[in-house]
Amino acid sequence: MFGKFFSNKSSPKVPDSGQITANSSASDLTATEKIQVITETLKDYRSESFPQGILSVSSHFHIHTIPKQSKAITVELILPFPCQGELDDIAKSLVDSLKQPVEFGVQLNVKAVRSFSLGGSENNIKNIIAVASGKGGVGKSTTTVNLAYALIAEGAKVGILDADIYGPSIPTLLGLKNAKPSSADGKLMDPLTAHGLSAMSIGFLVDENDATVWRGPMASGAFNQLLTETAWPELDYLLIDMPPGTGDIQLTLAQKVPVAAAVIVTTPQDLALIDAAKGIAMFDKVKVPVLGIIENMSYHLCDNCGHKSHIFGESGGSQMSKSKQTQLLGQLPLDMNIRQDADFGQSDIIENSTGDIAHLYRRIARNIVGQLFLQLDNASPLTPTVEIID
């Protein structure tokens, strides 16, 4: 169908070093005592992604021989989801406690929570996460792109698929307007890349000024080809930017695509929340777990005085997450920088990786993949143990 378009990672609580040696300073701790501090810290640390501590989900834990005071202590971990930002915060707290640099060497072992086949790409994509909204205009596509960049910053291999056949915006958001995919074998399209993010969109194949006038089955078929006829590289997560709404196309996509879980983007506005509830209901009908809700445009922070204004309402996402028995994954501000970056195909996560906006997206991204593991993976410490009694 598309052959003619081819162009040849919360602040951790660190045990007081005085608990180890009551009469010694941190600089006087022995190697064994430092190992104990690090081990206890990782055991006792609690967050939404680590409700039972970091070591409860790590399949490998090793502290290299403690070097001299001037060199960093290296802690090796194998983890089932990316969380580099959270580990960086823990490392900073350990530095304050041990008076010695601490570094985490993390190897990711992300596994598929749902088995599926996608033709030639069947072994390359581990988990597909749908990012959806009940209505348009809530910033879903912008949020999807920034979450993808955030996951890359956390250490994951990520791709993005634009399922909005009628109004594809991913090419603009990635700064890839007018770019066209090529094909190495004449059968599968090679995804385009932006800052390490692999992407495919109908917007790469048709002119942005041409209206895509397709009936539902044609649109669904086109999307299915975008998914299965793309030569995806090895990906830990493929984010699907779903079209807004809960009509026939959205339902068909949710049923045909092997989605592991979904995330709902909404604003605090009552009208948006009503439609977001419909989105949750749609995924419930097709048996796709909803990991939680992202409240976008949650508030506006005044540049001059720092006053927080809830322009579209307050606590709507929080209340809905409770009523639907899901999680509030995070709240994002109404910020001019996010809008400007979107218009110019940029991202604050790349341009200002240490800024507040980047930290917000990275925290939400960690919450999403953490909950994907905790709620759906058989290796999760939260998975109930089934005991059979004769």
Side-chain angles (χ1 to χ4, degrees):
M1 179 176 180
F2 297 123
K4 65 181 180 179
F5 294 110
F6 289 144
S7 56
N8 288 333
K9 322 190 148 114
S10 58
S11 297
K13 293 183 178 179
V14 180
D16 185 356
S17 59
Q19 296 174 355
I20 308 299
T21 53
N23 297 318
S24 301
S25 66
S27 59
D28 295 329
L29 293 178
T30 65
T32 300
E33 290 167 342
K34 290 180 179 180
I35 290 173
Q36 186 176 350
V37 170
I38 296 171
T39 303
E40 291 301 318
T41 296
L42 297 180
K43 283 183 179 179
D44 295 341
Y45 179 82
R46 296 292 184 271
S47 70
E48 292 179 341
S49 298
F50 300 103
Q52 296 184 10
I54 293 176
L55 296 188
S56 68
V57 301
S58 177
S59 58
H60 172 78
F61 169 55
H62 176 72
I63 302 175
H64 283 275
T65 303
I66 304 298
K68 295 181 180 180
Q69 196 76 21
S70 59
K71 295 185 178 181
I73 301 170
T74 302
V75 182
E76 289 184 356
L77 294 168
I78 297 179
L79 294 173
F81 55 87
C83 55
Q84 190 60 53
E86 208 158 347
L87 293 176
D88 289 343
D89 290 339
I90 296 172
K92 291 177 183 177
S93 293
L94 285 169
V95 169
D96 293 337
S97 177
L98 302 177
K99 306 304 179 187
Q100 187 171 351
V102 177
E103 297 176 351
F104 283 96
V106 179
Q107 179 180 339
L108 287 183
N109 185 26
V110 179
K111 295 182 178 179
V113 301
R114 177 181 178 183
S115 59
F116 59 88
S117 176
L118 285 179
S121 301
E122 61 184 25
N123 297 320
N124 291 345
I125 301 173
K126 296 179 181 177
N127 294 292
I128 298 177
I129 302 174
V131 184
S133 64
K135 68 186 296 294
V138 299
K140 170 185 52 61
S141 296
T142 301
T143 300
T144 304
V145 168
N146 282 324
L147 287 175
Y149 282 138
L151 285 172
I152 291 174
E154 291 292 316
K157 290 172 285 190
V158 186
I160 190 168
L161 178 61
D162 190 352
D164 195 347
I165 300 297
Y166 297 117
S169 55
I170 295 301
T172 298
L173 292 168
L174 296 182
L176 295 174
K177 291 176 66 175
N178 302 318
K180 302 294 181 185
S182 60
S183 174
D185 59 7
K187 297 178 181 179
L188 298 178
M189 294 177 288
D190 295 323
L192 298 176
T193 59
H195 305 287
L197 174 63
S198 300
M200 182 52 66
S201 168
I202 192 69
F204 296 144
L205 305 176
V206 298
D207 190 276
E208 65 174 339
N209 296 317
D210 290 342
T212 307
V213 185
W214 287 344
R215 293 187 182 275
M218 293 177 63
S220 298
F223 168 73
N224 190 56
Q225 285 191 271
L226 287 175
L227 176 64
T228 60
E229 296 183 12
T230 296
W232 297 106
E234 184 177 342
L235 300 175
D236 296 316
Y237 306 99
L238 175 66
L239 302 188
I240 296 185
D241 180 28
M242 295 284 285
T246 54
D248 176 67
I249 294 177
Q250 290 82 359
L251 191 61
T252 301
L253 295 181
Q255 288 176 318
K256 288 188 175 181
V257 178
V259 175
V263 173
I264 303 295
V265 179
T266 184
T267 63
Q269 192 176 13
D270 288 343
L271 288 175
L273 291 168
I274 291 171
D275 289 332
K278 294 177 182 178
I280 294 174
M282 179 193 72
F283 284 113
D284 286 342
K285 287 183 179 180
V286 295
K287 308 300 181 184
V288 173
V290 175
L291 298 175
I293 296 170
I294 299 173
E295 188 180 80
N296 195 29
M297 308 181 203
S298 180
Y299 56 88
H300 176 262
L301 202 63
C302 178
D303 293 336
N304 296 321
C305 66
H307 175 69
K308 185 181 290 188
S309 301
H310 297 275
I311 298 173
F312 297 113
E314 186 175 0
S315 303
S318 177
Q319 294 171 8
M320 170 161 285
S321 63
K322 292 178 182 177
S323 66
K324 297 299 180 181
Q325 297 182 327
T326 187
Q327 297 204 27
L328 180 64
L329 296 167
Q331 295 172 305
L332 294 164
L334 179 64
D335 190 281
M336 185 171 62
N337 291 326
I338 297 176
R339 194 273 303 167
Q340 289 178 334
D341 285 344
D343 289 345
F344 292 104
Q346 300 172 345
S347 172
D348 212 50
I349 299 165
I350 298 168
E351 305 298 327
N352 184 17
S353 60
T354 61
D356 293 338
I357 299 298
H359 282 300
L360 283 174
Y361 277 112
R362 290 183 64 171
R363 186 180 304 121
I364 294 172
R366 292 195 300 268
N367 285 344
I368 291 172
V369 295
Q371 291 307 311
L372 180 69
F373 170 78
L374 292 171
Q375 294 182 29
L376 302 175
D377 197 294
N378 290 331
S380 165
L382 302 185
T383 301
T385 302
V386 178
E387 183 178 353
I388 301 176
I389 302 176
D390 295 331

